[in-house]
Amino acid sequence: MIRIQIRVERWVRTAGVLGAIVLLAAGTLAAQTTSPSSLRYGSGYFDIPTAGVLPHMGIAGTYSGFGVSLDRRIETDPATGRSIRYGGEFRKWMSDASVGIGLFDRVELGVSLQSFSDSNNGGTMAGGFGQVAILQPERMGIGLAAGGRFVTSPTYDAVDPNADFQPPRLGFPDSRVRAEYQGPVDDVNTTFSPYAVTTAYLPGLDVGILPRYDVTVTLGYGLGQFRDTNDLTWYSFVGAKGWFGGGGVHVGVGQDKVLHLLGEWNGFDVNAGAQLDYGGVRVGAYVLGANYLENVTEYRSMKFGVLGSVAFCPAAGALCKPRLLERARPDTVVVTVQGPPARPDTVLVTREVAPPLPTGSPANICLATGEEVQILITAQSDTLVGPQRVSTRSLRPGVVFAGTYGAGREWFTQDQAVRFENRNYNKFGQEAILRCAEITRVGEHQGVPLFAPRDAQRPFQTLYVPARPGIWQPYQFGVGRTR
């Protein structure tokens, strides 16, 4: 009874620390990049977490399963002389299910169901998971998160109704995790597994023959199922003492489609596979224990499985679309003068005396590229551009400012909503003149870049669309469409 009370108090203290982290981080973080679905614990790789979380109010339901089929055999442990039976007990298909929800683009919470049996064969194993993103990767390149996983203990009334059995790392109930442990019995505690994890988010190389892709590298440390079964020789041939890591290549294979190629080390096993996110519907195939060439036990064996997941964003009324890191575009200013080509058979010999440059009042305009350039405005309200201060009237229609603008596009002139990060933004207010120092690029809509106030945090309340060079149209979330 005393042992149980101490363990509960330890869980309460840990939960209090995680709750404090949530409150401290709530006002400072922005949305993460898209993460694939783990087998039973929300966003992550297969069996390890990453620093990413679901978007605000995003809901993801996941089913995963793998097959185990081993031949029964008995060996003698040379250290103890005890007979150990391997295989035969779990020759079936193992299934897991989970549902997670994102809050404020910073927190992910969820529940899981891993086993549903009678009390003599493990009982019901259900649990929950939670994670808070402390650092957001889109601005820093590094994501940092802390979280925990909880799974109820299995029960074996036919073996010992009073024994405190522990859940194994593969999700199904197994009485041997506690019964075969060689050390002190209190050293095994896998019901609660707190952890900290960091993920580096790196944009891929910009090479013409390669599709757009990102790379993630993850490293973390955890207790519980990440550490507390290292001394079980039949459970793993080696343990990392709580450390885990992995990496992924996330390839854009079309609009709203991302292929995740993943590999991980969960502290015991090497797991690898692929997952395709088709506009919020995710399907995948994987192999667990790829480092085991011989099937020794249910844990030390190679297992193949499949995964299916659906991520829905109610605020947008649609599935959660996958996305890669936003790429910065080079700042360029292009002024093109169109005119008749010179005749190849004509030789011109001229002597030119440069006229004095025209004058005007300087003014700065912010282009759709995010660069601010200077122009001159004459007393006749003419605009002069370039080092020679050429009049735009004399250049029309051949003058082109760098960047893509909304003017003339159907969705802009028809006052249609702008779709960005699963939210609808409508025109609001009059066109404005903004300085580039006040805004920053956050994405694009049908080829036209989108900007937000530089100090604003996701989810944005206001977006700015470049209507014409130097002229910006505000769009706001939560307002109705007006004409």
Side-chain angles (χ1 to χ4, degrees), residues 36-40 42 46 60-66 93 96-99 274-277 280-286 305-311:
S37 297
S38 68
L39 301 186
R40 61 185 73 93
F46 300 106
T62 303
Y63 166 83
S64 65
F66 59 90
W93 183 260
D96 298 288
S98 67
V99 177
Q275 187 178 141
L276 176 64
D277 191 330
V281 177
R282 305 164 180 179
V283 294
Y286 55 89
V306 294
L307 174 146
S309 180
V310 177

Side-chain angles (χ1 to χ4, degrees), residues 31-36 43 50 52-53 55 138 201 214 216 250 258 260 277 282 320-325:
Q32 309 290 317
T33 55
T34 301
S35 295
S43 299
T50 63
V53 297
E138 291 181 311
Y201 294 77
D214 292 342
T216 57
H250 315 271
V258 174
H260 306 278
D277 191 330
R282 305 164 180 179
C320 300
K321 302 296 189 297
R323 58 191 179 94
L324 299 177
L325 290 171

Side-chain angles (χ1 to χ4, degrees), residues 294-307:
E294 296 182 356
N295 293 341
V296 178
T297 71
E298 299 84 15
Y299 303 92
R300 294 171 57 183
S301 63
M302 191 177 299
K303 298 165 283 292
F304 297 91
V306 294
L307 174 146

Side-chain angles (χ1 to χ4, degrees), residues 119-261:
S119 59
N120 291 322
N121 294 287
T124 298
M125 285 179 57
F129 52 89
Q131 176 170 299
V132 56
I134 301 172
L135 294 181
Q136 52 109 350
E138 291 181 311
R139 295 180 184 174
M140 303 179 185
I142 297 293
L144 177 62
R149 302 169 173 179
F150 173 79
V151 183
T152 57
S153 298
T155 59
Y156 290 92
D157 291 347
V159 178
D160 187 348
N162 298 317
D164 189 11
F165 296 101
Q166 294 293 300
R169 71 176 186 270
L170 289 179
F172 53 78
D174 188 348
S175 61
R176 297 172 299 171
V177 173
R178 177 56 73 98
E180 298 293 337
Y181 196 75
Q182 302 301 316
V185 69
D186 288 336
D187 287 350
V188 183
N189 181 13
T190 57
T191 55
F192 181 58
S193 304
Y195 62 84
V197 61
T198 181
T199 300
Y201 294 77
L202 309 171
L205 298 176
D206 188 10
V207 180
I209 61 174
L210 296 178
R212 183 180 173 186
Y213 70 97
D214 292 342
V215 176
T216 57
V217 180
T218 295
L219 178 66
Y221 180 81
L223 306 178
Q225 293 185 12
F226 297 106
R227 192 194 65 175
D228 283 358
T229 48
N230 287 282
D231 294 335
L232 298 176
T233 57
W234 54 271
Y235 197 80
S236 174
F237 75 100
V238 65
K241 304 299 182 182
W243 292 98
F244 58 86
V249 179
H250 315 271
V251 185
V253 292
Q255 185 175 3
D256 297 332
K257 293 186 286 291
V258 174
L259 176 64
H260 306 278
L261 305 176

